Amino acid sequence: MTAFLRITDGTLFHEELKNFVNKISYTGPYNETICFDDKGEYPEVLDIENWKFKQIGHKSIPHRTAVGRFDPHLEEDQQMLIIPWMIEWKHGKIPLGLCTAVCLPGTRRVLKKDSQTCCCDCIPCSEGEISNVSDSKSCLKCPDNEWPNEYKDDCLPRTVEFLSYTKDTITIIFTSISVLFFILAIFIIAIFVSYRDSLIVKANNRNLSFILLISLKMSLLCVHLFIGHPVDITCMLRQISFGVLFTVAVSSVLAKTVMVFIVFKANKPGSSWTKWLGVKLPNSIVLVCSSVQVLTSAIWLSVSPPFQEYDRDTYTGITIIQCNEGSVFAFYLMLGYMGFLAALSFGLAFMVRTLPDMFNEAKYITFSMLVFCSVWICTIPAYLSSKGKNMVSVQIFAILASVIGILSCIFFPKCYNILLRPEMNSKRNLLVKSFS
């Protein structure tokens, strides 16, 4: 016969086999009667025993201890009850099979292919994930502000990194240099104010000198915007203030260079260049060149301003708090515009550096712009290849080096002549030089 009957529990029985099983009845090893119900099941409660054999003479006598039971009348997940602490194992240790190794916290269980369902590999959790229990089937991802410890069984707060006043030695160096040259710039301004009517100060356009000194002094102060915990407002101020102040400084140098060229041309009899002498042209050059940078910065702030950013991908377990420039195009446009003005000043100063004028400062401007351009040409590749606080340190170094270069090349020689060589600053010396 090939007919089958589907029982309610889903098991298939052959019709004849079912009838045969229902008639089975026999006496068990403990004189109990064993028979099966309509479902082919043994409805009695069964004891689960722990057998431990003891050697008595030449015989092994089993010692039986009930450690649980099986009750088919209960729900499927409650039918079997085992009390583990009552089981007596050989040598007092639970025997381990070949595939029953426990996966420790920090790992997860992965079933082996082509093996038993109990056979697993213990795979370490992936980067950024942990497991804090044994035999975990999956790992948990740590929150964004945390990172796994060495054993990947717990999440710890990430290390926060930025250029700090207290934790980084290099900030002490930067701050000391900034404060030192800031005081030096004030001292130079005081000298120029005291000797404002002297030939050296007047011959090189003292108004432009004051504008240049003030912009350099403020540039030294803007270095402190790059140090400390970045926030949105400091991210915007640091680049904008740096760009505008340096543009004013370089524009002043350009205006000085243009005036040296015009003064030389105007010395010739009947020259039409004399109409350009005065304060209007240099002031206009500074105003126009600076306005272009101010307008660029205003558009930058309105369209895509710099903002605070958390970088958690560069270094493992470290959160870098840094400033995102917002618009990279605007940032490099600002640098490119300053570079263009510096290159223009350098080229023009180089051409007029040998003009026969006792107070010709073109050669000093040439050296200052050479230093300025060299510093930024060398630091831009280092800036692009660095991350986090190293990138900020590179930019601070470039700012300080540029300011120190301009101060040293343009104003140190003048202060030396004013203070230590007063004869160079007298009208009598000027007349002797002119007569010679």
Side-chain angles (χ1 to χ4, degrees):
M1 296 179 65
T2 59
F4 287 85
L5 178 65
R6 181 180 297 275
I7 309 301
T8 56
D9 64 352
T11 307
L12 294 178
F13 285 90
H14 193 281
E15 184 71 25
E16 293 182 353
L17 180 60
K18 178 193 171 190
N19 294 332
F20 175 75
V21 169
N22 289 340
K23 297 177 182 179
I24 292 178
S25 177
Y26 62 93
T27 302
Y30 305 108
N31 295 322
E32 75 276 16
T33 301
I34 297 177
C35 60
F36 299 91
D37 59 12
D38 292 339
K39 295 182 180 180
E41 298 178 351
Y42 179 65
E44 299 298 327
V45 177
L46 302 178
D47 288 332
I48 300 175
E49 295 182 344
N50 177 206
W51 284 29
K52 188 174 182 181
F53 290 88
K54 294 183 179 180
Q55 193 72 24
I56 301 178
H58 298 287
K59 294 183 179 180
S60 295
I61 306 300
H63 174 70
R64 298 178 298 181
T65 303
V67 296
R69 66 177 184 174
F70 177 80
D71 189 348
H73 300 96
L74 300 177
E75 297 293 333
E76 287 189 5
D77 59 345
Q78 300 177 0
Q79 290 177 350
M80 182 176 290
L81 173 66
I82 296 178
I83 306 174
W85 59 268
M86 295 184 63
I87 302 175
E88 296 184 33
W89 300 101
K90 187 176 181 180
H91 305 302
K93 296 182 179 180
I94 300 176
L96 297 178
L98 295 177
C99 299
T100 56
V102 177
C103 289
L104 299 176
T107 62
R108 60 186 177 90
R109 295 175 65 88
V110 177
L111 293 176
K112 290 184 177 180
K113 294 183 179 180
D114 303 327
S115 184
Q116 300 295 328
T117 56
C118 65
C119 293
C120 299
D121 289 324
C122 298
I123 306 299
C125 292
S126 303
E127 289 292 328
E129 296 182 345
I130 65 163
S131 65
N132 50 13
V133 295
S134 299
D135 287 333
S136 177
K137 294 183 179 179
S138 61
C139 295
L140 303 175
K141 186 175 179 62
C142 287
D144 288 341
N145 60 340
E146 295 182 352
W147 192 257
N149 61 0
E150 180 182 357
Y151 304 103
K152 294 187 177 181
D153 58 1
D154 191 18
C155 291
L156 301 177
R158 286 175 179 258
T159 302
V160 177
E161 182 181 279
F162 58 89
L163 195 61
S164 171
Y165 278 104
T166 57
K167 297 180 180 179
D168 298 294
T169 305
I170 194 170
T171 58
I172 300 176
I173 300 174
F174 287 151
T175 303
S176 301
I177 294 174
S178 173
V179 172
L180 175 62
F181 280 89
F182 177 80
I183 296 173
L184 189 60
I186 294 177
F187 180 67
I188 294 173
I189 292 176
I191 293 175
F192 271 59
V193 171
S194 300
Y195 293 88
R196 59 185 177 276
D197 294 325
S198 64
L199 294 178
I200 293 178
V201 175
K202 292 174 65 176
N204 298 133
N205 199 318
R206 60 187 174 190
N207 291 334
L208 289 179
S209 297
F210 287 132
I211 293 174
L212 178 56
L213 283 169
I214 292 173
S215 62
L216 293 177
K217 183 181 70 172
M218 298 303 294
S219 298
L220 290 169
L221 289 181
C222 83
V223 165
H224 298 278
L225 293 173
F226 291 81
I227 304 175
H229 191 291
V231 293
D232 289 344
I233 186 65
T234 56
C235 287
M236 289 187 285
L237 288 177
R238 63 167 59 171
Q239 299 298 357
I240 300 304
S241 60
F242 152 71
V244 173
L245 289 173
F246 259 71
T247 301
V248 172
V250 177
S251 300
S252 302
V253 174
L254 177 61
K256 277 177 167 289
T257 310
V258 171
M259 292 310 298
V260 170
F261 178 79
I262 291 177
V263 167
F264 175 74
K265 292 291 186 180
N267 283 335
K268 297 178 181 180
S271 175
S272 60
W273 289 92
T274 54
K275 63 181 179 181
W276 297 105
L277 295 175
V279 296
K280 291 185 178 180
L281 179 62
N283 291 344
S284 299
I285 292 175
V286 175
L287 181 62
V288 171
C289 294
S290 302
S291 298
V292 173
Q293 191 71 284
V294 171
L295 180 61
T296 302
S297 300
I299 296 174
W300 182 7
L301 290 178
S302 60
V303 176
S304 182
F307 58 91
Q308 181 195 60
E309 180 184 52
Y310 293 91
D311 180 7
R312 300 185 177 95
D313 301 325
T314 300
Y315 300 113
T316 301
I318 296 177
T319 298
I320 300 175
I321 304 179
Q322 61 186 7
C323 289
N324 187 308
E325 308 306 341
S327 173
V328 178
F329 173 77
F331 175 69
Y332 287 107
L333 180 63
M334 177 189 72
L335 292 181
Y337 181 68
M338 285 192 302
F340 168 74
L341 293 180
L344 186 60
S345 299
F346 172 75
L348 188 58
F350 184 80
M351 289 190 297
V352 299
R353 73 190 187 282
T354 57
L355 295 181
D357 190 341
M358 178 180 175
F359 299 108
N360 183 10
E361 62 176 349
K363 57 182 177 180
Y364 303 129
I365 295 175
T366 303
F367 283 117
S368 67
M369 290 297 99
L370 181 62
V371 172
F372 183 91
C373 295
S374 300
V375 167
W376 284 100
I377 290 174
C378 293
T379 54
I380 285 178
Y383 179 85
L384 295 176
S385 61
S386 56
K387 295 288 185 180
K389 60 183 180 182
N390 294 330
M391 178 185 291
V392 180
S393 299
V394 169
Q395 190 168 2
I396 293 175
F397 169 79
I399 293 173
L400 292 177
S402 302
V403 173
I404 294 171
I406 295 175
L407 279 175
S408 302
C409 294
I410 295 181
F411 293 101
F412 284 4
K414 294 180 183 180
C415 292
Y416 174 78
N417 289 333
I418 292 174
L419 297 177
L420 301 179
R421 299 180 64 186
E423 70 278 2
M424 295 289 296
N425 202 19
S426 64
K427 293 183 179 180
R428 181 179 180 181
N429 184 65
L430 176 61
L431 293 174
V432 172
K433 290 286 185 181
S434 301
F435 182 77
S436 300

